[in-house]
Amino acid sequence: MKETMNILAIESSCDETSAAVVQNGRKVLSNIIASQIDIHKKFGGVVPEVASRAHVEVISAVVEEALSEAKCTLEDIDAVAVTYGPGLVGALLVGLQYAKGLAYAIKKPLIGVNHIEGHISSNFIQYEDLEPPFVCLIVSGGHTYIVYMKDYGDFEIMGQTRDDAAGEAYDKVARAIGLGYPGGPKIDRLSKEGNPDAIKFPRANFHDPETLDFSFSGLKSAVLNYLNQMEMKGIEVNRADVAASFQKAVVDFLADNSMRACKLRGAKKMAVAGGVASNSCLRAKLKDEGMRNGVDILFPDMILCTDNAAMIGSAAYFEFLKGRTAALDLNAVPNLKLGQR
Ligand code: KG4
Ligand code: ZN
C-alpha cells in the first residue's frame, strides 16, 4: 500500500452536496459543501425530489472544486468513497452513481460508507491522535445513538432513540413555534433569551430504568399540548421560554444517558458527532458533566458536525484498511443501520 492514500469522497444523503479529498483518513485537503437550505426553506423542510434534482445540478462542480482546492488531479486519487445510506434514496443515488462512474473511469477502488459512521469519523479528523476505544454520542437530524466504539468500524450500540431523532425534535418544535427550517440553530439562538426552568416538559418514562435509549416524540407532543393550551386560554406564549425549556429537556436527557454510558464502560473519552453537536447548550452541559466525571469531551468543529464529505473520506480510509471495498453494483440503502454492511 502507498504511504499516503488520497480518497475522493462524495456525500449526498440529504440536503448537502459535498465532495472532499482526505489523506490517510485524518488530513483534509479540501471539503466543499453546497447547502440546499435556501431551496428547502420555503417548504419548511427537505423535499426529497427537490433535493435529488439540486444534487444533480451541482455535483460535478462540487467534485471539481474539491479536486482543485486540494491541488489534485484524478491521477492523485487512490480511491473513491461515497455515502450509500442511510438517507433519502433519490439523494443518495445521485452521489452513488457519480462515485461509481468515477471509480470505474479512473480504475480505482470504490468504498461505500455508512453516513452515521462518517459522523463518528469527523472526530478522527478533528483529533489526529484519537484512537478507539471511546464512547460516541451521535445526534443528527435523522439519528440519535450512543455507541461504544471498540475499534475502527467496530461498534456496540448502547442506546438509541425509539422514535424521533434529537435533531428531528428540534426541527418539529421550531416549526410549531414559528421559527422555520432548519430549527436546531434557531432554537439554540432563541433559547439564550429564555428561561430554561420556565416550563417543566416531561422526559419519556421507560419501564426499564437501566436503558440508555431515548424518546423525543413525547417531549415534542408535550410542547405542542402546551402551545394548544395557552392558545385556548388566550395566553400569549413566551417563545424563548418554550425554546429554552424544550432544549434543557433534550440536553439533560442526552447528557445523563451518555455519561451513564461512559461510567458503564469506564470510558475516559467521549466524542460527540452530528448536526446537533453544534448546539451551544449541549456543548456547555457536556463539558461541565465531563469535568465532574473525569471524562474528556471531544467535539469536532461546526463544519465537521454538519453533513460533509470529509468525514466520509475519513471513515472510508479505515474501511479500506480492513479490506472493505465495494463492487460497482453497490446500491443505496435508505435505512442502513449503524454497523450493518
Ligand atoms: O447531521 P446533520 O447535518 O444531518 C443529518 O444527518 O441529519 O444534522 C442536521 C440536524 C437538523 O435537525 C438541525 O436542526 C440540527 O442538526 N442542528 C442543530 C443545531 N445545528 C444543527 N440542533 C440544535 N442546535 C444546533 N445548533
Ligand atoms: Zn448527517
Side-chain angles (χ1 to χ4, degrees):
M1 202 179 119
K2 279 172 66 183
E3 218 167 88
T4 54
M5 178 164 184
N6 291 329
I7 296 185
L8 172 66
I10 295 174
E11 153 65 40
S12 69
S13 65
C14 190
D15 59 344
E16 261 97 27
T17 321
S18 182
V21 179
V22 183
Q23 207 164 68
N24 291 352
R26 304 265 185 179
K27 188 170 172 201
V28 179
L29 302 188
S30 63
N31 188 21
I32 307 299
I33 305 170
S35 171
Q36 301 176 3
I37 284 182
D38 285 342
I39 301 173
H40 298 289
K41 218 163 34 190
K42 50 182 171 293
F43 303 110
V46 179
V47 183
E49 184 56 28
V50 174
S52 315
R53 283 162 192 255
H55 285 306
V56 171
E57 278 166 24
V58 301
I59 192 155
S60 298
V62 168
V63 170
E64 272 167 36
E65 202 178 330
L67 285 167
S68 108
E69 197 176 299
K71 299 194 174 40
C72 283
T73 68
L74 286 172
E75 311 243 295
D76 304 310
I77 300 301
D78 302 302
V80 180
V82 65
T83 306
Y84 72 105
L88 303 169
V89 68
L92 287 165
L93 283 171
V94 176
L96 196 58
Q97 299 301 13
Y98 196 96
K100 288 202 274 190
L102 196 59
Y104 179 73
I106 65 172
K107 298 187 177 59
K108 290 288 155 70
L110 176 73
I111 306 166
V113 175
N114 180 316
H115 179 81
I116 311 166
E117 295 185 23
H119 273 302
I120 299 172
S121 235
S122 59
N123 283 282
F124 293 128
I125 296 171
Q126 187 72 42
Y127 302 96
E128 56 182 38
D129 298 326
L130 176 66
E131 305 260 6
F134 55 86
V135 166
C136 188
L137 170 69
I138 306 133
V139 270
S140 75
H143 311 278
T144 307
Y145 283 104
I146 300 175
V147 302
Y148 183 57
M149 189 156 175
K150 296 184 246 179
D151 191 4
Y152 296 100
D154 186 7
F155 320 88
E156 175 198 352
I157 297 175
M158 299 183 72
Q160 58 190 307
T161 183
R162 298 190 184 180
D163 41 56
D164 291 354
E168 190 179 353
Y170 264 97
D171 293 336
K172 287 177 177 169
V173 166
R175 194 178 312 157
I177 56 174
L179 293 180
Y181 167 85
K186 293 186 175 165
I187 289 197
D188 194 358
R189 234 170 288 132
L190 184 61
S191 293
K192 295 189 171 40
E193 297 160 27
N195 173 6
D197 298 313
I199 312 150
K200 286 263 167 298
F201 290 126
R203 182 185 291 193
N205 187 8
F206 295 130
H207 295 297
D208 173 8
E210 303 291 312
T211 185
L212 294 176
D213 280 354
F214 299 102
S215 162
F216 294 107
S217 77
L219 173 59
K220 172 198 67 193
S221 301
V223 175
L224 297 181
N225 287 342
Y226 173 85
L227 295 173
N228 274 340
Q229 278 169 15
M230 291 296 119
E231 195 183 341
M232 270 162 28
K233 290 182 193 158
I235 302 172
E236 200 185 326
V237 167
N238 181 328
R239 297 195 310 167
D241 283 353
V242 174
S245 302
F246 159 77
Q247 175 158 275
K248 181 174 194 286
V250 174
V251 165
D252 284 355
F253 202 176
L254 293 172
D256 286 357
N257 285 13
S258 55
M259 282 298 135
R260 274 172 50 216
C262 291
K263 274 192 197 131
L264 281 170
R265 291 292 167 274
K268 293 282 165 247
K269 272 181 293 187
M270 183 174 89
V272 191
V276 185
S278 294
N279 185 266
S280 60
C281 181
L282 180 65
R283 285 182 175 239
K285 173 84 180 175
L286 286 178
K287 282 274 173 214
D288 210 45
E289 289 290 319
M291 210 109 86
R292 287 199 311 117
N293 293 291
V295 179
D296 209 4
I297 308 288
L298 313 176
F299 284 102
D301 286 346
M302 307 282 195
I303 196 70
L304 293 170
C305 290
T306 192
D307 287 349
N308 68 91
M311 67 185 196
I312 303 302
S314 171
Y317 177 71
F318 299 109
E319 286 289 287
F320 184 82
L321 291 186
K322 298 211 159 189
R324 296 181 189 139
T325 56
L328 288 179
D329 63 354
L330 179 68
N331 206 350
V333 185
N335 57 359
L336 185 68
K337 302 281 177 287
L338 184 60
Q340 182 189 338
R341 294 206 158 72

